[in-house]
Amino acid sequence: MTHPLLSVEALTMRFGGLTAVDALSFEARAGEITAVIGPNGAGKTTVFNCITGFYRPTEGALRLTHASGATYPLASMAGHLITRRAQVARTFQNIRLFAGMTVLENLLVAQHNTLMPNVANGLLAVFGLGGHRRAERAAIEKAKLWMEAIGLTDRADDPAGSLPYGDQRRLEIARAMCTDPVLLCLDEPAAGLNPRESDDLSSLLMRIRDGRDVAGRCSLLLIEHDMGVVMRISDHVVVLDHGRKISDGTPEQVRADPHVIAAYLGEGDEGDDAVTEAAL
Amino acid sequence: MLRDAAVSAVIAFGLFGAMIGLKTEVGVQTIELTPRPYLVLAAVVLVFFGRLALLAWKKSRPAGTPKRGRITAVANKAGRYLTPVVLVLTITLPFYAERYYVDLGVLVLTYVMLGWGLNIVVGLAGLLDLGYVAFYAVGAYSYALIAQNFGLGFWTCLPLAGILAAFWGVLLGFPVLRLRGDYLAIVTLAFGEIIRVVILNWTSLTGGPNGLSGIPRPTLFGLVFNSSGGEGSFAEFFGIEPNISQRGIFLFYVILGLALLTNWVSLRLRRLPLGRAWEALREDEIACRALGIDVTVTKLTAFAMGACFAGFAGAFFATRQAFISPESFTFIESAIVLAIVVLGGLGSQIGVALAAVVMIGGGELFRDFQEYRMLIFGGALVIMMVVRPRGLVSGRTPSVSLGDKRHISADMMTEGHG
């Protein structure tokens, strides 16, 4: 179960003269929750944008390996194909729901590729052809399961924009899960949540990892600032600072790592290079 | 209040002073300026008291002004009962109305159809298209040229015109759909003009500014409509008096059928994955991409679908007029259709139909006012944008629901960022 799912190899991303991510390498294993942490501006979101196809990396390789053995070079794939073929889904730091569409509709849009394999099929459906009705029923069933998992069944027909913030966060995760991902990338899922809500979120993420009481299961990669959440749920933590990896290991190992403490307390900027080498 | 009104009056004086106050009269050799102080005075006084009345009305309203949401809810409820009434009135129109009104109905329905077609692009997919008339022109010229050069009839050419227009929609779409918002609007505007200029200058094919004439009229299963009757005519077949108004009525039902087809297809698409993807695209393009939706293909289908219906409408326009020239496809046509969609409420079918009736039908009825027509038109637009900025019928109904469908107010929706 613990084969490497995503391997990041010497990933470098430059914007003009600024090197946001510098020769970063790490692995995320299947069936685990991998957390990427680091101070503000460490390049976490840039790494995410590279993995999910929003940026094209300057150098380096991103390889995703399915349980079937198929591998996908994420760095050279078109954005929507990363979700469609390689089955990597993501959520956003600032929630990006379809605010004017209902909770149910949001979950159905996520199943677009299952419902409409190609344009011709989509147009045939206008005349009731192409087995669309059956697919739609299955999609609604799946959406129902997810609404149950996040406790929003009662609000299925309400516009997503009218939900409380915490519910919107969970809905965005459910929507991403409706694309049947093998890897779900979460960009600060606990941001702006109160302690109770972040507890709910932690349990939801662990349920998704283990496939308990939810309609799907997948590995997770998350960026998070809430150390409580990170330490509680992560199996593996990668720490970035100034675009480089400074630590990598279990939550306990990382917590004890002097480099991490230094980075978070703003000490020891000199000797950064040596630190990186040592951490590797 | 008085001070505010006085300021408005001064501004009005500044604006109208030269425009209304001075009239140029062309003499034999000279141009003379005639001052008209009383007209200026009238305008200024009108503005002064108008402003005063507006402020007084605003003040008299209770602090807790009625919410927009309530008006919207009432309008939507009315809309549900209005639709069948409007449909019945439209279908029976030729039975109780004079010929003039039937012809006007044909004109209005053409714009209703164009509005519904553009609604797919602007209202559902959120792509601001200012060159919609280009596809209308492609449809019209496709029909005219195919009919004249290959001798095909209206009903054969109709789908061809739609397909050709859709083809041009895709062709335009490929390079420009990576643009967003204002930039997309500018490029589509340019495309509309390019098509018109090409038609204008490609004299050998399109006849240039002289246009194409003698475009064949549509037939009903091979029966022709004419004023003389005779062999193979509609009147002869049914044994009735030949009358030219029969053709008008036939055309009315043809465009009614085409418009209802547009409506049916777009309503149907809204409930299907493709239509939902369009709406999702309008709400958030980046989220769509993250969900694995091919944004380019989705946009192209919206563009092609909208263009296809414009092509149908264009073919109908050509067969109705029997004469087309580039003058019928100027930018103002695009602007009118877009105004109909925006006034009616983006994404709302009945709203667009009502807006077309008001804009086109109203425009025709106000023809007697001549130059004041545009003034009334402009004033109506301004009032609409103040009173109902999201259009006559705003908001949307969910495309699918577990319980009963509740209306979603327009405040929730985002639009036009594509």
Side-chain angles (χ1 to χ4, degrees):
Chain A
M1 196 57 215
T2 51
H3 72 272
L5 179 67
L6 171 75
S7 67
V8 176
E9 287 152 24
L11 179 73
T12 302
M13 183 74 210
R14 288 193 202 94
F15 299 102
L18 177 81
T19 306
V21 179
D22 192 2
L24 174 71
S25 299
F26 70 89
E27 272 185 355
R29 285 183 290 276
E32 288 192 351
I33 296 181
T34 307
V36 178
I37 62 170
N40 287 328
K44 304 182 296 289
T45 300
T46 307
V47 173
F48 255 46
N49 283 340
C50 288
I51 293 172
T52 50
F54 282 82
Y55 293 156
R56 188 136 296 188
T58 317
E59 279 164 41
L62 294 158
R63 206 171 48 241
L64 188 91
T65 313
H66 280 190
S68 64
T71 60
Y72 298 89
L74 299 186
S76 58
M77 285 172 77
H80 70 277
L81 290 180
I82 289 181
T83 311
R84 195 172 178 170
R85 301 256 166 79
Q87 295 173 281
V88 177
R90 75 168 293 177
T91 65
F92 295 87
Q93 195 171 348
N94 43 345
I95 302 176
R96 285 185 173 274
L97 285 171
F98 306 120
M101 302 175 86
T102 65
V103 172
L104 179 62
E105 284 179 304
N106 267 277
L107 297 180
L108 289 184
V109 170
Q111 301 178 57
H112 181 78
N113 288 326
T114 337
L115 285 169
M116 193 184 114
N118 54 55
V119 175
N121 183 291
L123 293 179
L124 277 180
V126 175
F127 309 101
L129 302 171
H132 163 259
R133 223 164 281 177
R134 199 162 4 93
E136 174 103 355
R137 260 200 301 275
I140 291 179
E141 283 311 311
K142 189 174 179 185
K144 273 187 191 163
L145 288 176
W146 275 108
M147 283 189 286
E148 218 165 287
I150 58 170
L152 284 180
T153 311
D154 295 343
R155 309 209 58 176
D157 298 331
D158 287 341
S162 71
L163 296 178
Y165 190 77
D167 289 349
Q168 293 197 15
R169 280 267 176 224
R170 288 208 306 284
L171 177 59
E172 205 191 13
I173 293 172
R175 188 182 67 178
M177 284 305 292
C178 275
T179 64
D180 285 328
V182 296
L183 178 68
L184 174 61
C185 303
L186 303 162
D187 197 345
E188 299 202 21
L193 299 187
N194 64 37
R196 217 197 105 107
E197 286 172 328
S198 60
D199 280 351
D200 287 349
L201 180 88
S202 305
S203 92
L204 175 67
L205 296 186
M206 285 197 284
R207 272 154 58 207
I208 290 174
R209 176 191 62 186
D210 304 334
R212 266 187 297 121
D213 308 328
V214 286
R217 102 185 259 187
C218 74
S219 317
L220 294 106
L221 182 68
L222 70 136
I223 291 178
E224 191 48 73
H225 275 303
D226 185 333
M227 284 307 138
V229 172
V230 171
M231 293 303 161
R232 197 161 50 222
I233 69 172
S234 310
D235 300 299
H236 174 197
V237 179
V238 177
V239 190
L240 299 189
D241 191 21
H242 297 297
R244 291 173 189 199
K245 185 163 81 173
I246 57 169
S247 186
D248 187 348
T250 64
E252 291 73 32
Q253 286 169 346
V254 165
R255 194 163 13 192
D257 192 325
H259 300 115
V260 177
I261 297 164
Y264 269 88
L265 297 180
E267 289 172 24
D269 262 354
E270 322 77 22
D272 235 355
D273 290 343
V275 165
T276 315
E277 300 305 327
L280 281 168
Chain B
M1 253 166 75
L2 274 174
R3 215 179 125 228
D4 197 323
V7 169
S8 305
V10 170
I11 294 172
F13 178 75
L15 279 173
F16 293 134
M19 275 168 57
I20 299 180
L22 297 171
K23 186 172 196 270
T24 51
E25 276 178 25
V26 184
V28 185
Q29 294 258 304
T30 56
I31 295 177
E32 280 172 25
L33 282 177
T34 326
R36 299 191 292 186
Y38 294 110
L39 264 175
V40 178
L41 190 68
V44 169
V45 168
L46 204 68
V47 167
F48 179 79
F49 285 105
R51 179 75 191 169
L52 210 60
L54 186 72
L55 288 172
W57 177 68
K58 263 193 178 162
K59 227 177 182 179
S60 69
R61 281 208 304 184
T65 47
K67 278 196 179 139
R68 280 242 162 75
R70 225 187 60 203
I71 308 174
T72 312
V74 171
N76 287 318
K77 214 171 199 176
R80 210 177 308 154
Y81 300 110
L82 206 60
T83 313
V85 175
V86 170
L87 192 62
V88 168
L89 281 179
T90 316
I91 290 174
T92 54
L93 181 82
F95 296 109
Y96 60 78
E98 294 168 43
R99 189 171 161 215
Y100 168 74
Y101 290 103
V102 175
D103 285 346
L104 183 57
V106 171
L107 186 68
V108 169
L109 280 173
T110 311
Y111 280 93
V112 169
M113 179 173 178
L114 285 172
W116 279 340
L118 185 62
N119 209 356
I120 294 175
V121 185
V122 182
L124 289 184
L127 304 165
L128 188 52
D129 184 355
L130 287 181
Y132 195 58
V133 76
F135 307 121
Y136 188 45
V138 168
Y141 272 87
S142 301
Y143 169 55
L145 290 172
I146 294 173
Q148 287 190 339
N149 295 328
F150 301 100
L152 295 177
F154 174 70
W155 295 107
T156 331
C157 291
L158 186 66
L160 287 178
I163 290 167
L164 278 168
F167 169 74
W168 278 99
V170 172
L171 216 62
L172 161 74
F174 260 120
V176 308
L177 284 182
R178 66 190 65 220
L179 304 173
R180 306 169 63 106
D182 311 351
Y183 304 102
L184 178 69
I186 292 168
V187 175
T188 51
L189 172 74
F191 180 75
E193 282 302 290
I194 289 170
I195 290 274
R196 192 179 63 83
V197 171
V198 166
I199 290 173
L200 196 60
N201 289 295
W202 196 348
T203 321
S204 59
L205 182 73
T206 64
N210 298 327
L212 293 168
S213 54
I215 299 164
R217 299 293 200 159
T219 56
L220 176 71
F221 299 112
L223 299 175
V224 296
F225 292 87
N226 54 27
S227 51
S228 57
E231 196 67 12
S233 76
F234 177 80
E236 190 252 325
F237 186 81
F238 286 98
I240 49 176
E241 271 304 294
N243 184 344
I244 196 64
S245 71
Q246 284 159 3
R247 178 159 69 201
I249 293 169
F250 175 61
L251 285 172
F252 180 82
Y253 284 116
V254 169
I255 187 66
L256 181 61
L258 285 173
L260 289 179
L261 176 79
T262 314
N263 186 32
W264 180 75
V265 169
S266 45
L267 281 181
R268 185 107 181 86
L269 275 171
R270 250 207 72 195
R271 285 156 207 280
L272 293 173
L274 186 58
R276 263 200 302 267
W278 288 341
E279 287 201 85
L281 201 66
R282 177 193 65 204
E283 297 272 335
D284 196 324
E285 189 177 329
I286 290 174
C288 277
R289 231 182 93 184
L291 293 174
I293 295 173
D294 191 334
V295 173
T296 318
V297 165
T298 310
K299 280 184 177 178
L300 280 180
T301 49
F303 238 71
M305 195 61 70
C308 179
F309 288 119
F312 288 156
F316 175 81
F317 176 77
T319 196
R320 181 178 85 106
Q321 301 279 351
F323 166 76
I324 48 172
S325 74
E327 267 164 55
S328 311
F329 308 105
T330 48
F331 169 66
I332 190 73
E333 296 293 317
S334 290
I336 287 175
V337 177
L338 188 67
I340 287 173
V341 173
V342 173
L343 276 182
L346 293 167
S348 151
Q349 300 295 93
I350 182 78
V352 168
L354 291 179
V357 171
V358 171
M359 295 247 327
I360 307 302
E364 282 300 309
L365 294 180
F366 280 122
R367 199 168 273 286
D368 297 340
F369 292 91
Q370 291 180 17
E371 63 256 50
Y372 295 105
R373 209 152 65 104
M374 284 320 267
L375 190 68
I376 294 168
F377 174 53
L381 278 186
V382 170
I383 290 171
M384 273 299 297
M385 286 299 109
V386 171
V387 180
R388 296 193 60 77
R390 299 270 185 157
L392 278 173
V393 184
S394 55
R396 66 183 286 270
T397 340
S399 63
V400 60
S401 69
L402 293 183
D404 53 329
K405 290 186 181 179
R406 271 161 292 178
H407 190 81
I408 298 173
S409 96
D411 310 334
M412 285 290 162
M413 294 158 59
T414 47
E415 62 212 13
H417 298 301

